[in-house]
C-alpha cells in the first residue's frame, strides 16, 4: 500500500471513534517506531495509523503523550516532527478541558481560537530546528480559514459550537478553585493538559492547525464543582458523535 497523507489527526479525547472509520489502514504500534515514546495513560492506545478517511489519505495518532506522564517536551512533540518529515501540511487535534467561561455548558464543543502556553518547559527550547525561525510569530496559531470552515460545517449540521482560548497546563492535578479563577482572569476560556506543545511545534513546522476542545467539566468562579477523570470521560464520550461529525467533514474538505 502506498499513501502520502498531507493531513494528520491526533485522536485525542472524544475522537477515538474516528480510528474505526479509517479504511485501507496500515498501523504502526509506537513500540515499533524508533525513538517514539510509548503512551501510558489508560484509554490511550498507542499507534500511528495510515489510511483513508472520507476518501482522503490521512495519518492518525492514536494515543498522545502528555507532559504529566513524565515525558519531556521533545518527547511529547516528537510525533509532530515525524509528521513534518512525512509531508503533513494540516493537523487536526482534539482534547478535553474544563470550561471557565460562564457561557459554557458541559458537553460543549469549543473551537480553539488561540492558546496560552502555561507549561513549565517550552517545546522549542534548545537548538532551533530549521523548520522555522528562532522566534516564531504566533498571531495565527489556529488557522483562521479552518476555523471558518468548522463554523460553516457546524451551522450546516445544526451543531452548537462555542469559541475560546485554551490554557495548556502541566497537570496532573485538576485546578483548585483559585486556579480556575486565575486562568479565567488571565484570558482563558478552558483549561486542559495537552495540545499546546504539539500545536506550537506544528506551527513552527508550518503545519496549519485546527483544534476542538470538549468542555467536560466546569470551573466557574465562585461555584466550584468536583471533577474526576471518569466524569471527564463520560462527558467526552457523550460529545463524541458531534465532534466526530465536524472533524470527519473537516478532513473530507481538507
Ligand atoms: N482541568 C484540566 N484539564 C482538564 C480538565 C480540567 O478541568 N477537564 C479535562 N481536562
Amino acid at each position: 500500500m502506498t499513501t502520502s497523507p498531507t493531513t494528520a489527526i491526533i485522536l485525542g479525547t472524544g475522537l477515538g471513534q474516528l480510528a474505526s472509520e479509517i479504511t485501507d489502514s496500515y498501523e504502526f504500534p509506537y513500540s515499533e517506531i524508533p525513538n517514539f515514546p510509548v503512551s501510558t495513560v489508560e484509554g490511550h492506545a498507542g499507534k500511528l495509523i495510515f489510511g483513508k478517511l472520507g476518501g482522503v489519505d490521512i495519518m492518525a495518532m492514536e494515543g498522545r503523550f502528555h507532559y504529566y506522564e513524565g515525558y519531556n517536551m521533545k518527547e511529547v512533540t516528537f510525533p509532530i516532527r515525524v509528521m513534518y518529515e512525512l509531508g503533513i501540511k494540516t493537523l487536526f487535534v482534539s482534547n478535553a478541558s474544563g470550561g471557565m467561561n460562564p457561557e459554557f455548558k458541559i458537553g460543549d464543543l469549543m473551537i480553539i481560537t488561540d492558546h496560552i502556553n502555561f507549561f513549565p518547559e517550552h517545546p522549542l527550547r534548545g537548538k532551533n530546528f530549521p523548520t522555522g525561525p528562532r522566534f516564531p510569530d504566533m498571531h495565527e496559531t489556529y488557522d483562521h480559514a479552518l476555523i471558518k470552515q468548522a463554523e460553516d460545517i457546524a451551522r450546516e449540521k445544526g451543531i452548537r459550537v462555542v469559541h475560546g482560548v485554551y490554557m495548556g497546563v502541566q497537570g496532573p492535578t485538576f485546578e483548585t478553585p483559585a486556579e480556575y479563577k486565575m486562568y479565567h482572569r488571565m484570558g482563558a476560556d478552558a483549561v486542559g493538559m495537552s495540545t499546546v506543545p504539539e500545536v506550537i511545534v506544528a506551527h513552527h513546522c508550518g503545519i496549519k492547525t485546527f483544534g476542538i476542545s470538549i468542555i467536560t467539566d466546569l470551573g466557574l468562579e465562585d461555584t466550584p464543582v468536583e471533577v474526576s477523570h471518569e466524569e471527564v470521560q463520560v462527558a467526552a464520550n457523550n460529545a463524541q458523535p458531534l465532534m466526530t461529525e465536524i472533524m470527519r467533514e473537516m478532513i473530507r474538505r481538507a
Side-chain angles (χ1 to χ4, degrees), residues 13 95-100 166-167 169 171-175 180 183 190-194 213-219 227-229 232-233:
T13 308
N95 62 44
S97 64
M100 301 175 295
Y166 176 89
M167 168 85 86
V169 299
T173 45
F174 290 113
E175 286 62 40
Y180 281 123
Y183 293 153
V191 55
M193 307 174 197
S194 68
S213 189
I214 301 179
I215 305 299
T216 55
D217 52 277
L218 296 172
V227 51
S228 68
H229 183 57
V232 166
Q233 299 285 23

Side-chain angles (χ1 to χ4, degrees), residues 1 11 37 92 113 129 169 183:
M1 184 201 71
L11 299 171
F92 295 95
T113 54
F129 278 76
V169 299
Y183 293 153

Side-chain angles (χ1 to χ4, degrees), residues 80-81 84 88 129 131-132 199-208:
I80 310 298
R81 302 284 179 194
Y84 170 78
I88 295 301
F129 278 76
T131 57
V199 167
I200 289 173
V201 170
H203 193 64
H204 187 253
C205 289
I207 296 173
K208 284 189 288 184

Side-chain angles (χ1 to χ4, degrees), residues 111-113 143-164 210 212 246 250 253:
I111 293 177
I112 303 174
T113 54
D143 188 77
H144 290 178
L146 291 174
I147 290 173
K148 165 84 171 48
Q149 193 174 71
E151 289 164 353
D152 292 345
I153 291 168
R155 199 177 315 109
E156 286 164 24
K157 293 181 178 289
I159 298 172
R160 169 184 156 96
V161 288
V162 296
H163 294 76
F210 173 79
I212 296 185
I246 296 179
M250 292 290 289
R253 297 185 192 183

Side-chain angles (χ1 to χ4, degrees), residues 17-251:
Q17 189 182 302
L18 263 190
S20 62
E21 299 182 16
I22 300 172
T23 60
D24 308 292
S25 65
Y26 208 93
E27 301 184 349
F28 298 89
Y30 294 161
S31 56
E32 293 175 10
I33 306 173
N35 300 313
F36 233 76
V38 176
S39 109
T40 63
V41 185
E42 211 185 313
H44 292 261
K47 59 189 176 195
L48 287 185
I49 309 172
F50 293 81
K52 286 193 185 299
L53 194 68
V56 176
D57 277 353
I58 64 149
M59 166 183 179
M61 256 188 93
E62 189 171 73
R64 64 143 62 99
F65 306 104
H66 301 87
Y67 190 70
Y68 61 74
E69 294 177 84
Y71 302 111
N72 64 41
M73 282 301 184
K74 293 260 176 324
E75 293 169 316
V76 169
T77 58
F78 183 76
I80 310 298
R81 302 284 179 194
V82 173
M83 287 176 189
Y84 170 78
E85 293 297 335
L86 293 176
I88 295 301
K89 303 279 185 259
T90 309
L91 174 66
F92 295 95
V93 296
S94 75
N95 62 44
S97 64
M100 301 175 295
N101 182 325
E103 311 267 297
F104 290 1
K105 300 196 298 269
I106 288 180
D108 272 347
L109 299 178
M110 183 185 91
I111 293 177
I112 303 174
T113 54
D114 203 352
H115 73 219
I116 298 174
N117 177 16
F118 220 58
F119 283 90
E121 184 189 340
H122 199 285
L124 299 181
R125 179 167 182 266
K127 190 170 180 294
N128 188 48
F129 278 76
T131 57
R134 169 75 292 187
F135 303 105
D137 175 81
M138 298 295 282
H139 269 86
E140 190 176 340
T141 310
Y142 296 85
D143 188 77
H144 290 178
L146 291 174
I147 290 173
K148 165 84 171 48
Q149 193 174 71
E151 289 164 353
D152 292 345
I153 291 168
R155 199 177 315 109
E156 286 164 24
K157 293 181 178 289
I159 298 172
R160 169 184 156 96
V161 288
V162 296
H163 294 76
V165 174
Y166 176 89
M167 168 85 86
V169 299
Q170 63 175 311
T173 45
F174 290 113
E175 286 62 40
T176 64
E179 287 166 343
Y180 281 123
K181 189 170 178 172
M182 171 178 76
Y183 293 153
H184 185 227
R185 292 185 179 194
M186 286 171 88
D189 298 288
V191 55
M193 307 174 197
S194 68
T195 304
V196 167
E198 295 110 307
V199 167
I200 289 173
V201 170
H203 193 64
H204 187 253
C205 289
I207 296 173
K208 284 189 288 184
T209 306
F210 173 79
I212 296 185
S213 189
I214 301 179
I215 305 299
T216 55
D217 52 277
L218 296 172
L220 302 180
E221 289 195 21
D222 304 320
T223 49
V225 209
E226 282 185 33
V227 51
S228 68
H229 183 57
E230 290 67 35
E231 278 165 17
V232 166
Q233 299 285 23
V234 169
N237 285 340
N238 292 341
Q240 170 146 300
L242 296 181
M243 161 87 105
T244 305
E245 216 175 317
I246 296 179
M247 286 294 197
R248 192 193 287 121
E249 189 59 24
M250 292 290 289
I251 289 166

